[in-house]
């Protein structure tokens, strides 16, 4: 039974219908064939005496409408196709929620009405579609035995009733703060109306995340006015309060919603900067910076200005908090540490002097001078962090006294190499190369240790050998026996690549067979057949890689890895998505209790907090092409399949850079 052409066998069983013959996709588009099958099932349900049958039929008609309209819109319809596929893949869960006893016909008719209204007018824009699907499905979420939970868009969320109550109280307190600053009643009415709607929305499961975001936006914005320091001009809080109230009112207007949210978010960023600026040591430069921030209250700068200032403050905070007793460091690393601390203080002073100038720069995030200032301040900070990690690795007696780290053998020789490099740190010509050398040593040792201590068990022996090679290469006498750090690093990189491909092949297998974090995320969804087509025979490669690693046949390993990198970018993309989602969620696999309603029934994602939402359309397009690839493979259309594989590979390579932050 093809998921491209029909719903799953489990959904058929829930219908208790005779399973239709698998439709022949032929030259027709797979979404249309699937839509016809769903509509046929809905028609059969219309004649059922089961009270839940109409709701189950409505769900199929909604999925069919998404598939039809998404296909008709071409590339612009990819998000609708993804939503339709998500519903189809999870019809068993939705049928279970829709099934069972209904308290009365009124509730059932309301659910049908919600579904019918949306089916007849699916919005073309993504946010509108998200809201429409929430409106169609929210009553089903209320029927679920537990609140729908899941990854959604992997964004911060309110996780408990206590958190929600605290958010409501904080939002009302923020509104009162705005009111006490003299905002007129007519303008305040918008704030009060917004919070009334948030309270109403919070009582419904599907709307809870949106309510929490609205409240958090208001609370964050008012932080710029809450107990302002004395250097904020007296007239500024009142001007800011009115501006915040107007922005809150704008959120109620669909045409100005994004503008209102943006202004509230910028006030929250400004409030954070005000708090941090108040902790800076006094001086003429700090005074000028504070004057700029004071002027921004009631007259907000563009978001890039606030972002650039926030990045600068992040660097200053990191430099200020990076102190460590040098006695806890390996002795021969201490000269480099002293240089990093001394240079960090000078860099912090220079960056502080530039804060007011950054605030005045029209496009600071692309201004070469601003970027150069930030990079110059980060350089000693990054070296200091590298030295701390390196010292911990070179200490051969970590359980001994903290102020007497012990070195010996390769560790002692590596420390001596760092000491020789530290002599050049102040040199205008060779200082950059000396910093780069120390940081590369630290990075190579960190990567080697990570593979040897927590890597793939089947590569344990190779990882242990690679670690010894790295330590020996950097521990060689760089005057008489240069060693080969490049070859040593390559041995670690080879293990990293093999481990990554083992993970990626397993990740894409789970997409088709279950337990996939990517499938539980709102930005991705594939039919099992599409996942199989995407794998493209990659399953046969991991056993070969492991066998050749065991026999140290590294030329064949490297050749196969290169071919996999070039030809299987979609598999690598799925693996990268899984790794990021695991890191963000703390889960190793998809939780069976996670609900499809968290993916398609929770409303629009938070544009500022949802992971990868800016790549939403391209991800949905990749999923749509994978479905086309599966259909082409089924009908044995090799030219079309080859063209689709090339297109998928190109798109996946680009998306990989976004996922991995490259």
């Amino acid at each position: 039974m093809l998921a491209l052409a029909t719903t799953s066998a489990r959904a058929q069983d829930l219908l208790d219908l005779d399973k239709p013959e698998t439709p022949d996709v032929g030259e027709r588009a797979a979404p249309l064939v699937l839509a016809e099958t769903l509509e046929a099932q809905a028609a059969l349900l219309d004649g059922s005496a089961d009270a839940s049958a109409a709701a189950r039929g409505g769900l199929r008609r909604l999925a069919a409408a998404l598939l039809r309209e998404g296909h008709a819109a071409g590339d612009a319809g990819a998000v609708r196709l993804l939503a339709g596929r998500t519903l189809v893949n999870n019809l068993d869960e939705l049928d279970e929620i829709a099934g069972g006893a209904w308290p009365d016909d009124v509730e059932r008719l309301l659910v049908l009405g919600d579904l019918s209204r949306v089916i007849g007018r699916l919005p073309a824009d993504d946010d509108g579609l998200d809201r429409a699907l929430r409106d169609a499905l929210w009553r089903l979420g209320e029927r679920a035995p537990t609140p729908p939970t899941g990854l959604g868009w992997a964004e911060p969320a309110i996780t408990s009733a206590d958190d929600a109550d605290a958010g409501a109280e904080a939002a009302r307190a923020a509104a009162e703060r705005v009111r006490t600053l003299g905002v007129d009643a007519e303008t305040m009415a918008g704030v009060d109306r917004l919070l009334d709607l948030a309270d109403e929305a919070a009582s419904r499961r599907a709307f809870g995340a949106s309510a929490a975001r609205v409240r958090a936006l208001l609370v964050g914005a008012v932080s710029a006015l809450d107990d302002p320091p004395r250097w904020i001009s007296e007239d500024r809080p009142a001007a800011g309060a009115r501006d915040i109230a107007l922005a809150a009112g704008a959120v109620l207007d669909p045409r100005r919603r994004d503008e209102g949210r943006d202004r509230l978010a910028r006030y929250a960023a400004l409030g954070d900067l005000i708090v941090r600026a108040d902790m800076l040591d006094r001086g003429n430069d700090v005074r000028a910076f504070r004057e700029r921030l004071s002027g921004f209250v009631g007259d907000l700068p563009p978001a890039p200005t606030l972002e650039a200032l926030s990045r600068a403050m992040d660097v200053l905070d990191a430099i200020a908090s990076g102190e460590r007793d040098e006695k806890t460091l390996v002795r021969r690393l201490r000269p480099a540490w002293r240089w990093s601390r001394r240079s960090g203080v000078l860099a912090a002073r220079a960056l502080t002097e530039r804060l007011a100038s950054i605030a005045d720069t029209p496009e600071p995030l692309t201004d070469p001078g601003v970027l150069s200032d930030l990079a110059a301040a980060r350089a000693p900070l990054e070296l200091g962090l590298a030295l701390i990690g390196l010292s911990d690795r070179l200490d051969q007696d970590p359980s001994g006294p903290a102020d007497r780290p012990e070195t010996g053998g390769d560790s002692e020789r590596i420390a001596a190499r760092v000491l020789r490099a530290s002599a050049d740190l102040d040199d205008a010509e060779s200082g950059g190369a000396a910093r780069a050398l120390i940081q590369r040593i630290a990075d190579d040792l960190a990567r080697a240790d990570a593979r040897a201590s927590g890597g793939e068990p089947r590569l344990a022996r190779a990882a242990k050998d690679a670690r010894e090679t790295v330590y020996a290469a950097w521990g060689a006498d760089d005057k008489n026996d240069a060693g080969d750090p490049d070859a040593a690093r390559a041995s670690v990189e080879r293990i990293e690549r093999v481990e990554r491909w083992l993970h990626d092949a397993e990740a894409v297998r789970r997409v088709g067979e279950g337990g996939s974090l990517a499938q539980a995320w709102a930005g991705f969804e594939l039919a099992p057949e599409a996942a199989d087509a995407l794998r493209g025979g990659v399953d046969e490669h991991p056993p070969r890689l492991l066998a050749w690693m065991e026999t140290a046949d590294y030329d064949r390993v490297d050749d196969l890895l290169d071919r996999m990198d070039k030809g299987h970018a979609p598999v690598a993309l799925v693996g990268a998505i899984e790794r990021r989602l695991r890191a963000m969620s703390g889960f190793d696999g998809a939780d069976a209790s996670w609900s499809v309603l968290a993916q398609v029934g929770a409303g629009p994602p938070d544009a500022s907090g949802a992971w990868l939402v800016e790549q939403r359309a391209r991800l949905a397009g990749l999923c749509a092409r994978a479905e086309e690839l599966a259909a082409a493979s089924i009908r044995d259309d090799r030219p079309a399949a080859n063209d689709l594989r090339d297109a998928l590979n190109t798109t996946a390579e680009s998306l990989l850079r976004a996922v991995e932050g490259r």
Side-chain angles (χ1 to χ4, degrees):
M1 186 68 71
L2 303 178
L4 290 165
T6 67
T7 53
S8 68
R10 289 178 296 170
Q12 294 278 2
D13 291 337
L14 287 167
L15 282 168
D16 196 23
L17 301 172
D18 290 335
K19 297 175 184 177
E21 294 182 5
T22 301
D24 180 6
V25 176
E27 296 300 318
R28 302 171 61 214
L32 299 182
V33 177
L34 180 52
E36 288 180 3
T37 303
L38 291 165
E39 290 162 347
Q41 292 181 348
L44 288 172
L45 282 164
D46 288 343
S48 173
D50 185 348
S52 68
R56 293 154 67 198
L59 289 165
R60 283 156 178 76
R61 288 191 173 94
L62 174 59
L66 288 163
L67 293 169
R68 283 192 181 281
E69 294 193 21
H71 175 73
D75 290 342
V79 171
R80 276 169 280 179
L81 286 174
L82 185 77
R85 166 52 64 189
T86 302
L87 290 176
V88 171
N89 279 3
N90 295 277
L91 274 175
D92 50 354
E93 177 195 340
L94 293 170
D95 281 341
E96 184 176 352
I97 295 172
W102 289 72
D104 51 52
D105 285 342
V106 173
E107 182 183 356
R108 182 166 56 86
L109 291 173
L110 287 172
V111 170
L112 289 175
D114 291 342
L115 291 168
S116 298
R117 277 191 298 275
V118 172
I119 291 169
R121 49 185 181 87
L122 287 171
D125 66 291
D126 295 344
D127 276 6
L129 179 66
D130 290 330
R131 291 187 179 90
L133 292 175
R134 180 179 59 191
D135 291 346
L137 299 169
W138 75 269
R139 293 183 200 273
L140 287 177
E142 296 296 306
R143 279 179 58 85
T146 58
T149 57
L151 283 177
W153 274 102
E155 57 190 316
I158 299 297
T159 57
S160 71
D162 289 342
D163 290 339
D165 290 343
E169 293 175 8
R172 291 292 178 182
E176 286 307 306
R177 173 61 177 157
V178 172
R179 199 186 315 274
T180 59
L181 287 167
V183 178
D184 61 274
E186 182 179 354
T187 304
M188 279 302 303
V191 180
D192 295 333
R193 175 61 178 153
L194 180 65
L195 293 183
D196 288 344
L197 289 174
D199 290 345
E200 181 181 353
S203 67
R204 299 171 180 174
R205 292 171 173 176
F207 295 84
S210 293
R213 284 199 293 268
V214 165
R215 290 165 171 168
L217 274 173
L218 184 62
V219 171
V222 176
S223 69
L225 315 177
D226 195 19
D227 193 21
R230 287 182 295 177
W231 48 266
I232 297 289
S233 299
E234 290 184 6
D235 62 329
R236 293 292 85 200
R242 177 172 173 76
D243 201 15
I244 288 171
L246 290 171
V251 175
L252 295 168
D253 183 350
R255 295 166 299 180
R256 301 176 58 214
R257 181 184 292 124
D258 291 342
E259 173 196 343
R261 287 177 172 171
D262 174 69
R263 292 191 72 78
L264 292 175
R266 280 189 281 155
Y267 266 108
L270 176 58
D272 179 65
L273 286 171
I274 289 172
V275 171
R276 298 164 82 177
D278 198 45
M279 293 187 288
L280 294 174
D281 292 334
R282 295 180 182 180
N284 290 335
D285 299 312
V286 171
R287 186 181 304 113
F289 175 47
R290 289 173 174 174
E291 288 174 357
R292 302 302 194 280
L293 294 183
S294 178
F296 289 160
V297 179
D299 187 16
L300 277 173
T305 297
L306 296 169
E307 174 64 21
L309 291 171
S310 179
R311 292 184 187 181
M313 293 301 296
D314 287 344
V315 174
L316 292 176
D317 289 346
I319 292 173
S321 63
E323 189 59 68
R324 174 164 166 169
D325 186 350
E326 71 168 49
K327 293 180 181 178
T328 64
L329 299 176
V330 167
R331 184 178 299 276
R332 293 188 174 188
L333 304 189
R334 294 174 190 174
W337 171 257
R338 294 182 199 121
W339 182 92
S340 74
R341 293 304 301 162
R342 183 174 66 253
S343 299
V345 170
L346 295 174
R349 186 178 304 158
L351 186 57
T352 301
E353 292 171 356
R354 287 276 289 145
L355 289 172
S357 176
I358 293 173
D360 294 337
T361 303
E363 295 290 339
L365 291 179
T366 56
D367 183 84
V370 173
L371 296 177
S372 176
D373 289 339
L374 292 174
R378 288 192 191 103
L381 171 65
E382 291 170 353
L383 179 63
L385 293 174
L387 288 165
I388 290 173
L390 183 58
S391 180
D392 291 343
R393 286 183 172 81
L394 297 181
D395 183 2
Q396 295 190 327
D397 186 19
S399 62
D403 61 347
R404 290 200 298 274
E406 297 287 341
T407 59
D410 287 333
S411 293
E412 179 66 20
R413 289 187 288 272
I414 292 171
R417 193 165 193 163
V418 172
L419 178 62
R420 289 192 291 273
S422 67
D424 294 329
L425 288 172
D426 277 321
D427 189 277
E429 294 184 359
S430 58
R435 290 195 303 273
L437 175 64
I438 295 171
Q439 287 179 280
R440 179 178 169 182
I441 293 172
D443 182 60
D444 281 1
L445 268 59
R447 291 168 67 180
D449 283 350
R451 299 281 59 77
S453 62
E456 164 62 47
R458 290 171 292 183
L459 296 170
R461 189 175 73 177
K464 179 177 178 293
D465 291 345
R467 179 186 183 278
E468 292 176 355
T469 300
V470 167
Y471 274 74
W474 284 117
D477 187 330
D478 58 352
K479 293 182 179 179
N480 302 317
D481 179 8
D484 193 351
D486 290 338
R489 168 177 276 210
S491 68
V492 175
E493 289 176 341
R494 180 183 297 115
I495 294 170
E496 291 172 337
R497 292 174 70 194
V498 172
E499 286 187 351
R500 186 172 66 249
W501 275 112
L502 294 177
H503 168 271
D504 295 352
E506 175 64 16
V508 79
R509 183 193 65 77
R510 285 197 300 269
V511 169
E513 298 180 11
S516 168
L517 280 175
Q519 290 281 78
W521 177 55
F524 185 90
E525 193 75 30
L526 289 179
E529 292 78 13
D532 289 343
L534 209 62
R535 284 154 74 179
V538 76
D539 287 348
E540 66 190 38
H541 298 322
R544 294 175 181 172
L545 290 172
L546 289 170
W548 293 336
M549 286 295 294
E550 183 68 24
T551 59
D553 196 345
Y554 297 138
D555 288 341
R556 297 175 78 176
V557 170
D558 293 343
D559 177 67
L560 180 53
L561 288 171
D562 289 343
R563 287 189 283 119
M564 293 174 75
D565 286 344
K566 292 177 182 177
H568 292 288
V571 176
L573 175 64
V574 175
I577 290 172
E578 286 265 335
R579 278 190 294 276
R580 285 295 302 275
L581 291 174
R582 184 184 302 118
M584 288 187 287
S585 69
F587 289 96
D588 288 332
D591 189 315
S593 68
W594 286 353
S595 171
V596 63
L597 295 175
Q599 294 173 256
V600 294
D606 179 3
S608 63
W611 178 59
L612 221 62
V613 69
E614 71 280 359
Q615 302 293 338
R616 179 181 190 177
R618 298 178 68 210
L619 282 161
L622 180 136
C623 292
R625 295 295 172 270
E627 304 273 353
E628 292 178 22
L629 173 62
S633 301
I634 289 167
R635 62 177 183 261
D636 199 25
D637 186 346
R638 295 185 182 181
N642 289 336
D643 289 345
L644 285 164
R645 286 193 187 282
D646 289 342
L648 281 164
N649 219 51
T650 299
T651 301
E653 286 175 348
S654 175
L655 285 168
L656 258 176
R657 290 191 287 273
V659 172
E660 296 176 345
R662 290 186 276 141

CSV table of all heavy atoms in Angstrom, one decimal, residues 424-457:
chain,number,residue,atom,x,y,z
A,424,ASP,N,55.4,35.1,20.8
A,424,ASP,CA,55.1,35.9,19.7
A,424,ASP,C,53.7,36.7,19.7
A,424,ASP,O,53.4,37.4,18.8
A,424,ASP,CB,55.1,35.1,18.4
A,424,ASP,CG,56.5,34.5,18.1
A,424,ASP,OD1,57.5,35.2,18.4
A,424,ASP,OD2,56.5,33.4,17.5
A,425,LEU,N,53.0,36.5,20.8
A,425,LEU,CA,51.6,37.0,20.8
A,425,LEU,C,51.6,38.5,20.7
A,425,LEU,O,50.6,39.1,20.1
A,425,LEU,CB,50.9,36.6,22.1
A,425,LEU,CG,50.5,35.1,22.2
A,425,LEU,CD1,50.0,34.7,23.6
A,425,LEU,CD2,49.5,34.8,21.1
A,426,ASP,N,52.6,39.2,21.2
A,426,ASP,CA,52.6,40.7,21.1
A,426,ASP,C,53.2,41.2,19.8
A,426,ASP,O,53.2,42.4,19.6
A,426,ASP,CB,53.4,41.3,22.3
A,426,ASP,CG,52.6,41.4,23.6
A,426,ASP,OD1,51.4,41.7,23.5
A,426,ASP,OD2,53.1,41.1,24.7
A,427,ASP,N,53.7,40.3,19.0
A,427,ASP,CA,54.4,40.8,17.8
A,427,ASP,C,53.3,41.1,16.7
A,427,ASP,O,52.4,40.4,16.5
A,427,ASP,CB,55.3,39.6,17.2
A,427,ASP,CG,56.1,40.1,16.1
A,427,ASP,OD1,55.6,40.1,14.9
A,427,ASP,OD2,57.3,40.5,16.3
A,428,ALA,N,53.4,42.3,16.1
A,428,ALA,CA,52.4,42.8,15.2
A,428,ALA,C,52.3,41.9,14.0
A,428,ALA,O,51.2,41.7,13.4
A,428,ALA,CB,52.8,44.2,14.8
A,429,GLU,N,53.4,41.3,13.6
A,429,GLU,CA,53.4,40.4,12.3
A,429,GLU,C,53.1,39.0,12.6
A,429,GLU,O,52.3,38.4,11.9
A,429,GLU,CB,54.8,40.5,11.6
A,429,GLU,CG,55.1,41.9,11.1
A,429,GLU,CD,56.4,41.9,10.3
A,429,GLU,OE1,57.1,40.9,10.2
A,429,GLU,OE2,56.8,43.0,9.8
A,430,SER,N,53.6,38.4,13.7
A,430,SER,CA,53.4,37.0,13.9
A,430,SER,C,52.4,36.7,15.0
A,430,SER,O,52.1,35.5,15.3
A,430,SER,CB,54.8,36.4,14.3
A,430,SER,OG,55.3,37.0,15.4
A,431,GLY,N,51.9,37.7,15.7
A,431,GLY,CA,50.9,37.5,16.8
A,431,GLY,C,49.7,36.7,16.4
A,431,GLY,O,49.2,35.8,17.1
A,432,GLY,N,49.1,37.1,15.2
A,432,GLY,CA,47.9,36.4,14.7
A,432,GLY,C,48.2,34.9,14.5
A,432,GLY,O,47.4,34.1,14.8
A,433,ALA,N,49.3,34.6,13.9
A,433,ALA,CA,49.7,33.2,13.6
A,433,ALA,C,49.9,32.5,14.9
A,433,ALA,O,49.5,31.3,15.0
A,433,ALA,CB,50.9,33.1,12.8
A,434,ALA,N,50.5,33.1,15.9
A,434,ALA,CA,50.7,32.5,17.2
A,434,ALA,C,49.3,32.1,17.9
A,434,ALA,O,49.2,31.0,18.4
A,434,ALA,CB,51.5,33.3,18.1
A,435,ARG,N,48.4,33.1,17.8
A,435,ARG,CA,47.1,32.8,18.4
A,435,ARG,C,46.4,31.6,17.7
A,435,ARG,O,45.8,30.8,18.3
A,435,ARG,CB,46.2,34.1,18.3
A,435,ARG,CG,46.6,35.2,19.3
A,435,ARG,CD,45.5,36.2,19.4
A,435,ARG,NE,45.1,36.8,18.1
A,435,ARG,CZ,45.7,37.8,17.6
A,435,ARG,NH1,46.8,38.4,18.2
A,435,ARG,NH2,45.3,38.3,16.4
A,436,ALA,N,46.5,31.7,16.3
A,436,ALA,CA,45.9,30.6,15.5
A,436,ALA,C,46.4,29.2,15.9
A,436,ALA,O,45.7,28.2,15.9
A,436,ALA,CB,46.0,30.9,14.1
A,437,LEU,N,47.8,29.2,16.1
A,437,LEU,CA,48.4,27.9,16.4
A,437,LEU,C,47.9,27.4,17.7
A,437,LEU,O,47.6,26.2,17.9
A,437,LEU,CB,50.0,28.1,16.5
A,437,LEU,CG,50.7,26.9,16.9
A,437,LEU,CD1,50.6,25.7,15.9
A,437,LEU,CD2,52.2,27.2,17.1
A,438,ILE,N,47.9,28.2,18.8
A,438,ILE,CA,47.4,27.8,20.1
A,438,ILE,C,46.0,27.3,20.0
A,438,ILE,O,45.6,26.3,20.6
A,438,ILE,CB,47.6,28.9,21.1
A,438,ILE,CG1,49.1,29.3,21.3
A,438,ILE,CG2,47.0,28.5,22.5
A,438,ILE,CD1,49.3,30.5,22.2
A,439,GLN,N,45.1,28.0,19.3
A,439,GLN,CA,43.7,27.7,19.2
A,439,GLN,C,43.6,26.4,18.4
A,439,GLN,O,42.7,25.6,18.7
A,439,GLN,CB,42.9,28.8,18.6
A,439,GLN,CG,42.7,29.9,19.7
A,439,GLN,CD,41.9,31.1,19.1
A,439,GLN,OE1,42.5,31.9,18.4
A,439,GLN,NE2,40.7,31.2,19.4
A,440,ARG,N,44.4,26.2,17.4
A,440,ARG,CA,44.3,24.9,16.7
A,440,ARG,C,44.7,23.7,17.5
A,440,ARG,O,44.1,22.7,17.5
A,440,ARG,CB,45.2,25.0,15.4
A,440,ARG,CG,45.1,23.7,14.6
A,440,ARG,CD,45.8,23.6,13.4
A,440,ARG,NE,45.8,22.2,12.9
A,440,ARG,CZ,46.5,21.9,11.8
A,440,ARG,NH1,47.1,22.7,11.0
A,440,ARG,NH2,46.4,20.6,11.4
A,441,ILE,N,45.8,23.9,18.3
A,441,ILE,CA,46.2,22.8,19.2
A,441,ILE,C,45.1,22.5,20.1
A,441,ILE,O,44.7,21.3,20.3
A,441,ILE,CB,47.5,23.2,20.0
A,441,ILE,CG1,48.7,23.3,19.1
A,441,ILE,CG2,47.7,22.2,21.1
A,441,ILE,CD1,49.9,23.9,19.7
A,442,ALA,N,44.5,23.5,20.7
A,442,ALA,CA,43.4,23.3,21.7
A,442,ALA,C,42.2,22.6,21.0
A,442,ALA,O,41.6,21.6,21.5
A,442,ALA,CB,42.9,24.6,22.3
A,443,ASP,N,41.9,23.0,19.8
A,443,ASP,CA,40.7,22.4,19.0
A,443,ASP,C,41.0,21.0,18.7
A,443,ASP,O,40.2,20.1,18.8
A,443,ASP,CB,40.5,23.3,17.8
A,443,ASP,CG,39.3,22.7,17.0
A,443,ASP,OD1,38.2,22.7,17.6
A,443,ASP,OD2,39.4,22.4,15.8
A,444,ASP,N,42.2,20.7,18.2
A,444,ASP,CA,42.6,19.3,17.8
A,444,ASP,C,42.5,18.4,19.0
A,444,ASP,O,42.0,17.3,18.9
A,444,ASP,CB,44.0,19.3,17.2
A,444,ASP,CG,44.0,19.8,15.7
A,444,ASP,OD1,43.0,20.2,15.2
A,444,ASP,OD2,45.1,19.8,15.1
A,445,LEU,N,43.0,18.8,20.1
A,445,LEU,CA,43.0,17.9,21.3
A,445,LEU,C,41.5,17.7,21.8
A,445,LEU,O,41.2,16.6,22.2
A,445,LEU,CB,43.8,18.5,22.4
A,445,LEU,CG,45.3,18.0,22.4
A,445,LEU,CD1,46.0,18.3,21.1
A,445,LEU,CD2,46.0,18.7,23.6
A,446,ALA,N,40.7,18.8,21.7
A,446,ALA,CA,39.3,18.7,22.2
A,446,ALA,C,38.6,17.7,21.3
A,446,ALA,O,37.8,16.8,21.8
A,446,ALA,CB,38.7,20.0,22.2
A,447,ARG,N,38.8,17.8,20.0
A,447,ARG,CA,38.0,16.9,19.1
A,447,ARG,C,38.5,15.4,19.2
A,447,ARG,O,37.7,14.5,19.2
A,447,ARG,CB,38.2,17.4,17.6
A,447,ARG,CG,37.5,18.7,17.4
A,447,ARG,CD,37.9,19.3,16.1
A,447,ARG,NE,37.5,18.5,14.9
A,447,ARG,CZ,37.7,18.9,13.6
A,447,ARG,NH1,38.4,20.0,13.4
A,447,ARG,NH2,37.3,18.1,12.6
A,448,ALA,N,39.8,15.3,19.4
A,448,ALA,CA,40.3,13.9,19.6
A,448,ALA,C,39.8,13.3,20.9
A,448,ALA,O,39.4,12.1,20.9
A,448,ALA,CB,41.8,13.9,19.6
A,449,ASP,N,39.8,14.0,22.0
A,449,ASP,CA,39.3,13.5,23.2
A,449,ASP,C,37.8,13.2,23.1
A,449,ASP,O,37.3,12.2,23.7
A,449,ASP,CB,39.5,14.6,24.3
A,449,ASP,CG,40.9,14.6,24.8
A,449,ASP,OD1,41.7,13.7,24.4
A,449,ASP,OD2,41.3,15.5,25.6
A,450,ALA,N,37.0,14.0,22.4
A,450,ALA,CA,35.6,13.8,22.3
A,450,ALA,C,35.3,12.5,21.6
A,450,ALA,O,34.4,11.7,22.0
A,450,ALA,CB,34.9,15.0,21.6
A,451,ARG,N,36.1,12.2,20.6
A,451,ARG,CA,35.8,10.9,19.8
A,451,ARG,C,36.3,9.7,20.7
A,451,ARG,O,35.7,8.7,20.6
A,451,ARG,CB,36.6,11.0,18.5
A,451,ARG,CG,36.2,12.1,17.6
A,451,ARG,CD,34.9,11.8,16.8
A,451,ARG,NE,33.7,11.6,17.6
A,451,ARG,CZ,33.0,12.6,18.2
A,451,ARG,NH1,33.4,13.8,18.2
A,451,ARG,NH2,31.9,12.3,18.8
A,452,ALA,N,37.3,9.9,21.4
A,452,ALA,CA,37.9,8.8,22.2
A,452,ALA,C,37.0,8.5,23.4
A,452,ALA,O,37.0,7.3,23.9
A,452,ALA,CB,39.3,9.0,22.6
A,453,SER,N,36.3,9.5,24.0
A,453,SER,CA,35.6,9.3,25.2
A,453,SER,C,34.1,9.1,25.1
A,453,SER,O,33.5,8.5,25.9
A,453,SER,CB,35.9,10.5,26.2
A,453,SER,OG,35.4,11.7,25.6
A,454,GLY,N,33.5,9.7,24.0
A,454,GLY,CA,32.1,9.6,23.9
A,454,GLY,C,31.6,9.4,22.5
A,454,GLY,O,30.5,9.7,22.1
A,455,GLY,N,32.4,8.8,21.6
A,455,GLY,CA,32.0,8.5,20.3
A,455,GLY,C,31.4,7.2,20.0
A,455,GLY,O,31.0,6.5,21.0
A,456,GLU,N,31.2,6.8,18.8
A,456,GLU,CA,30.6,5.6,18.3
A,456,GLU,C,31.4,4.4,18.9
A,456,GLU,O,32.6,4.3,18.6
A,456,GLU,CB,30.6,5.6,16.8
A,456,GLU,CG,30.3,4.2,16.2
A,456,GLU,CD,28.9,3.7,16.6
A,456,GLU,OE1,27.9,4.4,16.5
A,456,GLU,OE2,28.9,2.5,16.9
A,457,PRO,N,30.8,3.5,19.6
A,457,PRO,CA,31.5,2.4,20.2
A,457,PRO,C,32.2,1.5,19.2
A,457,PRO,O,33.3,1.0,19.4
A,457,PRO,CB,30.4,1.6,21.0
A,457,PRO,CG,29.3,2.6,21.2
A,457,PRO,CD,29.4,3.6,20.1
